[in-house]
Amino acid sequence: MYRRLFLLLLFSLPLTLNAKPWHRHTIDSSSRGADGVRIQDINGDNLPDIVTGWEEGGVIRVYLNPGPAKSKAHWPAVSVGRVRSPEDAVFADLNADGAVDVISSCEGGNKTVYFHWAPSEKEKYLEASAWETKPVPCTQKLQAWMFAVPMQIDGEHGLDVIVGSKGAGAAVGWLQAPADARDVAAWKYHPLCDAGWIMSIQANDMDEDGDLDIAASDRKGTTRGVFWLENPGTKRASSDKWKRHLIGAEDREVMFLTITDIDHDSMIDIICAVRGGGICRMEKSANKSSTWSLEEIPMPMGCGTGKGIAVADLNLDGNETMDLVFSCENAQGKLSGVRWLSRFSDSNNSNWGSNEISGPLGVKFDRIELLDLDQDGDLDVVTCEERENLGVIWYENPAR
């Protein structure tokens, strides 16, 4: 009986394979409450740059990638704006002038989306006085804004912006760009569907019809779960006729999601961390119907609660199933805040081995980006931590 119980536990929990933490490098720790990382090459040097909102510090910071030789030291940085309670910040060239701006989404008592206009000369990106911050009037005091994704919706003018919120009146909607994007008063807000607490949004062609749809994770309330909104086409985009399709995990508190093909079978996979649970893998049916299968991967012992998620071949072993990298909140004491899982199988079972990244230092981590920052041929882990103020950080992959 005891042997059977031991085997059941052994094969139902991810096993710990590598307990040695990766080396951590600090990009910036100058403010308080680093809350998410988003990336884009904004100065044309073919290196990914980073933007982060510091929630408690009330500042939006941009980091210019200094290249692999200097990547392990603090990066050149600029504060592009000061706003209260920023929850998310993302790059976007809103007025199509070649200079990449920043959109910040703010919650708390602020409840406003801001545009941070970049200087037209890229040489001035690191001059704080060259940036200009403007609130978007149609968003002011409307909702507690949580996440934004730049996306062309109506086929007119420049980029529009998908936005999601939490709390009273929460929704997924979009900001429609006017002819002159810098005329912030002319932007219009269109709600698309109700929400409880939007955690993440991704633009993806979910039905493979040639246009971008919207996938989102909603962690609270009667609308919770992972779902997607079907793009009705540019002629109808400003209407509310974006059909909502539930993907799954409506009985879980879903956090960040990523869209990938984890096992290279040409079927869409959505991987989502779950607070108080494991990691959900939802795969679209092979017949391209509206049905999705759900696999739950247990959370390893010794970790906090799931938050961010990313997928890649982290150890370069060429495994048919790619590895999972996840971050955590509530990683108190000796609990780990960032780990990665590798899948192994035999004829009788299929399991995930747990590998350390962060060790016990850090409590509340956020979104994950996988980038080869030192250009040694493997992917490093970029994230942020906001409770012990580790700030914007990256962990150096020891695979090479």
Side-chain angles (χ1 to χ4, degrees):
M1 172 182 172
Y2 293 108
R3 182 175 181 273
R4 184 179 301 173
L5 179 60
F6 171 77
L7 290 174
L8 178 63
L9 288 171
L10 178 66
F11 293 127
S12 63
L13 294 173
L15 306 178
T16 299
L17 300 181
N18 189 339
K20 185 178 180 180
W22 294 8
H23 191 69
R24 186 183 77 251
H25 304 285
T26 300
I27 292 171
D28 183 27
S29 58
S30 64
S31 189
R32 294 177 296 110
D35 203 1
V37 290
R38 309 286 286 273
I39 62 168
Q40 186 175 326
D41 173 16
I42 67 170
N43 56 358
D45 61 1
N46 296 314
L47 295 171
D49 306 304
I50 298 173
V51 62
T52 295
W54 294 76
E55 186 172 6
E56 283 73 32
V59 64
I60 309 299
R61 301 267 286 166
V62 166
Y63 308 97
L64 297 185
N65 192 323
K70 298 180 179 180
S71 62
K72 298 177 184 181
H74 282 64
W75 288 19
V78 59
S79 295
V80 304
R82 295 190 176 275
V83 294
R84 289 181 294 109
S85 304
E87 182 65 28
D88 175 63
V90 63
F91 290 120
D93 183 1
L94 290 167
N95 58 345
D97 65 348
V100 181
D101 314 299
V102 172
I103 305 162
S104 65
S105 302
C106 300
E107 54 160 337
N110 192 347
K111 295 183 179 179
T112 301
V113 174
Y114 292 85
F115 294 161
H116 308 273
W117 299 106
S120 56
E121 304 91 349
K122 295 179 182 179
E123 296 76 16
K124 293 186 177 181
Y125 273 170
L126 292 178
E127 297 179 19
S129 61
W131 290 76
E132 183 182 11
T133 296
K134 293 290 185 181
V136 182
C138 66
T139 71
Q140 285 186 285
K141 304 299 181 182
L142 185 65
Q143 296 170 27
W145 303 105
M146 296 295 292
F147 205 84
V149 173
M151 177 177 162
Q152 177 54 252
I153 298 292
D154 57 4
E156 295 182 342
H157 313 312
L159 284 172
D160 308 298
V161 184
I162 305 297
V163 288
S165 58
K166 73 173 185 180
V172 175
W174 66 288
L175 302 177
Q176 185 176 23
D180 178 7
R182 293 199 67 135
D183 181 5
V184 291
W187 284 73
K188 296 179 181 179
Y189 172 67
H190 303 278
L192 295 177
C193 73
D194 293 338
W197 184 333
I198 293 298
M199 280 299 298
S200 61
I201 300 170
Q202 284 199 25
N204 191 79
D205 186 1
M206 300 296 294
D207 51 5
E208 302 176 62
D209 65 351
D211 57 24
L212 288 175
D213 308 298
I214 301 167
S217 55
D218 188 346
R219 65 184 281 191
K220 292 283 189 179
T222 58
T223 58
R224 74 176 182 172
V226 177
F227 65 93
W228 67 280
L229 300 175
E230 185 177 349
N231 191 333
T234 55
K235 291 183 179 180
R236 299 181 61 201
S238 60
S239 74
D240 60 354
K241 303 300 182 183
W242 290 62
K243 185 178 179 180
R244 185 183 189 274
H245 302 270
L246 179 65
I247 294 171
E250 65 271 25
D251 57 345
R252 296 163 169 85
E253 188 172 353
V254 291
M255 305 299 275
F256 288 107
L257 64 79
T258 188
I259 301 174
T260 184
D261 179 9
I262 192 172
D263 53 1
H264 309 289
D265 65 353
S266 300
M267 294 290 107
I268 293 176
D269 294 291
I270 294 182
I271 315 295
C272 192
V274 176
R275 179 183 170 91
I279 296 169
C280 286
R281 173 196 175 190
M282 290 155 275
E283 184 175 40
K284 194 174 183 181
S285 300
N287 60 7
K288 299 184 180 180
S289 71
S290 59
T291 60
W292 295 72
S293 63
L294 188 148
E295 172 192 3
E296 182 159 13
I297 301 162
M299 180 65 70
M301 296 177 64
C303 296
T305 58
K307 184 71 177 289
I309 193 76
V311 176
D313 182 6
L314 211 61
N315 59 352
L316 306 176
D317 66 353
N319 194 325
E320 181 178 307
T321 301
M322 289 189 287
D323 307 310
L324 296 174
V325 187
F326 66 90
S327 67
C328 298
E329 298 178 324
N330 302 303
Q332 305 281 354
K334 295 182 179 180
L335 297 181
S336 178
V338 186
R339 284 195 188 174
W340 67 281
L341 303 178
S342 54
R343 191 162 208 167
F344 59 94
S345 61
D346 57 32
S347 59
N348 297 315
N349 65 80
S350 179
N351 293 286
W352 293 84
S354 174
N355 303 271
E356 191 59 83
I357 292 180
S358 69
L361 190 58
V363 173
K364 187 179 180 181
F365 295 84
D366 209 85
R367 290 190 74 252
I368 295 169
E369 295 285 354
L370 302 180
L371 305 168
D372 186 4
L373 290 181
D374 50 7
Q375 293 189 7
D376 62 353
D378 57 25
L379 291 171
D380 308 301
V381 176
V382 184
T383 187
C384 59
E385 195 279 334
E386 61 176 304
R387 282 293 176 264
E388 294 188 355
N389 214 43
L390 300 183
V392 183
I393 52 180
W394 65 280
Y395 293 94
E396 184 178 352
N397 191 335
R400 285 186 175 168

